[in-house]
Amino acid sequence: MNYSFMSHPWIILFDIDGTMLTVDRGFNRAMLRELLDEHDIHYPQLEQDSFSGRTDHDIFTSFFVNHGYDKALYQTFKSAYLRELEQRLNYDLVYRHSYVDEAINFFSRRDFVRGLLTGNYPKAAVIKLKAGRIGYDFSIGAFGEHDKDRNNLPFIAIEQVREQMGIDPDPSRFVIIGDTPRDIQCAKHAGMKCVSVTTGKYSREDLAEHNPELILDDLSEPEIWFSELISS
C-alpha cells in the first residue's frame, strides 16, 4: 500500500514505558526508595504513587514536596538515579513488548519520520531502550526533561520537525503511540492522532473513555491498523 506524501511525511511518535517495553516495577520502586533514603529525602508516598504517563520531571519534582522543592537536591538525586539506572538495568529486568520490531520497521519507510514522545529523561530513554535491545534511531525526541507537563511535549516535537525539515508542521499528520490516557490527552491537546495499546496497565475500556483514534491489543500488522487510522 502506498502512503506517499507531497512535502509532509507522517510523524510517528512512540512512547517507551508500557508501549515498547516495561521495566520491572519492583526493581524501579526499590531503587528509587533506596536513593530517597540515601539522600535523606522524606517521601512516604512513593509506593502508592502512580507513574503511568507522567514525566520524569513531574515524578521526581514530587519527591521534594517536604523539602521545599529544593532544586539543587533535585539535580543531585536525578544524577544519582541516572547513574544507578545505567549500572543496574539489564535485559532480565525489562519486558520487551511483542511486535515492537514489526511496527518500528514499518515506520522506517520513506513516508514516515520516526520519533519518541516519552516522559523519560533523554538518558533514561537511551538506557531503557538499550536494556530492552531496541536499537533503532529516532529522528525526533520529546522527553520528560524538556517539560514537566506531558501536554507540552507534542509542541516540542512539532518545533523539531519545523527546524529539521524546514516545513510548516501539520499536527494532524502526527501520530502518538502510547498506553495511557495521558498519551491520548496530550495528542488531543496538540491536534494529533493517538493510537492506544493495552500493553500497559490500562484496559480497552479505560482507554476508550478518552476517545483515541484506535485501540490495539498489540502493535502487530501495522500496515492494517495504520491504513484504518488514516482512513477514519
Side-chain angles (χ1 to χ4, degrees), residues 193-213:
K193 301 182 188 300
C194 186
V195 173
S196 294
V197 287
T198 61
T199 47
K201 62 180 289 188
Y202 293 94
S203 67
R204 276 183 167 267
E205 291 74 22
D206 294 331
L207 296 167
E209 291 180 7
H210 301 272
N211 299 310
E213 278 68 27

Side-chain angles (χ1 to χ4, degrees), residues 111-191:
D111 303 53
F112 305 102
V113 171
R114 196 173 59 203
L116 297 171
L117 192 148
T118 170
N120 285 286
Y121 294 127
K123 185 173 180 179
V126 170
I127 293 167
K128 289 179 181 181
L129 291 173
K130 181 180 179 181
R133 299 178 186 172
I134 301 174
Y136 298 89
D137 293 327
F138 295 91
S139 302
I140 304 299
F143 299 97
E145 179 143 40
H146 297 151
D147 203 293
K148 181 178 176 180
D149 186 350
R150 193 182 189 97
N151 280 354
N152 291 330
L153 299 188
F155 299 104
I156 294 170
I158 286 172
E159 286 308 307
Q160 289 183 12
V161 169
R162 190 190 312 277
E163 292 172 7
Q164 292 182 25
M165 302 188 64
I167 62 174
D168 187 17
D170 177 0
S172 69
R173 292 185 70 87
F174 286 63
V175 180
I176 294 175
I177 302 174
D179 67 295
T180 75
R182 285 189 170 96
D183 295 297
I184 304 168
Q185 291 161 5
C186 80
K188 290 185 177 297
H189 184 68

Side-chain angles (χ1 to χ4, degrees), residues 26-191:
F27 160 80
N28 196 48
R29 299 279 177 155
M31 187 178 74
L32 286 171
R33 172 52 66 198
E34 180 182 325
L35 289 170
L36 288 170
D37 291 345
E38 283 181 4
H39 290 81
D40 295 319
I41 298 167
H42 179 62
Y43 190 71
Q45 301 97 312
L46 173 68
E47 285 72 21
Q48 289 74 46
D49 271 2
S50 173
F51 293 168
S52 294
R54 294 171 63 190
T55 65
D56 281 355
H57 190 174
D58 178 35
I59 295 166
F60 281 44
T61 299
S62 70
F63 295 162
F64 303 97
V65 62
N66 298 310
H67 298 267
Y69 298 105
D70 188 307
K71 292 183 179 179
L73 186 57
Y74 168 90
Q75 291 297 335
T76 298
F77 183 84
K78 172 188 165 187
S79 296
Y81 163 75
L82 292 172
R83 181 176 62 251
E84 292 300 316
L85 188 68
E86 185 169 29
Q87 291 176 357
R88 300 189 196 186
L89 190 64
N90 58 57
Y91 187 68
D92 292 335
L93 294 167
V94 174
Y95 176 76
R96 195 174 187 277
H97 292 294
S98 302
Y99 308 108
V100 168
D101 292 308
E102 183 178 347
I104 294 177
N105 285 326
F106 176 79
F107 291 117
S108 299
R109 303 180 185 189
R110 67 178 185 86
D111 303 53
F112 305 102
V113 171
R114 196 173 59 203
L116 297 171
L117 192 148
T118 170
N120 285 286
Y121 294 127
K123 185 173 180 179
V126 170
I127 293 167
K128 289 179 181 181
L129 291 173
K130 181 180 179 181
R133 299 178 186 172
I134 301 174
Y136 298 89
D137 293 327
F138 295 91
S139 302
I140 304 299
F143 299 97
E145 179 143 40
H146 297 151
D147 203 293
K148 181 178 176 180
D149 186 350
R150 193 182 189 97
N151 280 354
N152 291 330
L153 299 188
F155 299 104
I156 294 170
I158 286 172
E159 286 308 307
Q160 289 183 12
V161 169
R162 190 190 312 277
E163 292 172 7
Q164 292 182 25
M165 302 188 64
I167 62 174
D168 187 17
D170 177 0
S172 69
R173 292 185 70 87
F174 286 63
V175 180
I176 294 175
I177 302 174
D179 67 295
T180 75
R182 285 189 170 96
D183 295 297
I184 304 168
Q185 291 161 5
C186 80
K188 290 185 177 297
H189 184 68

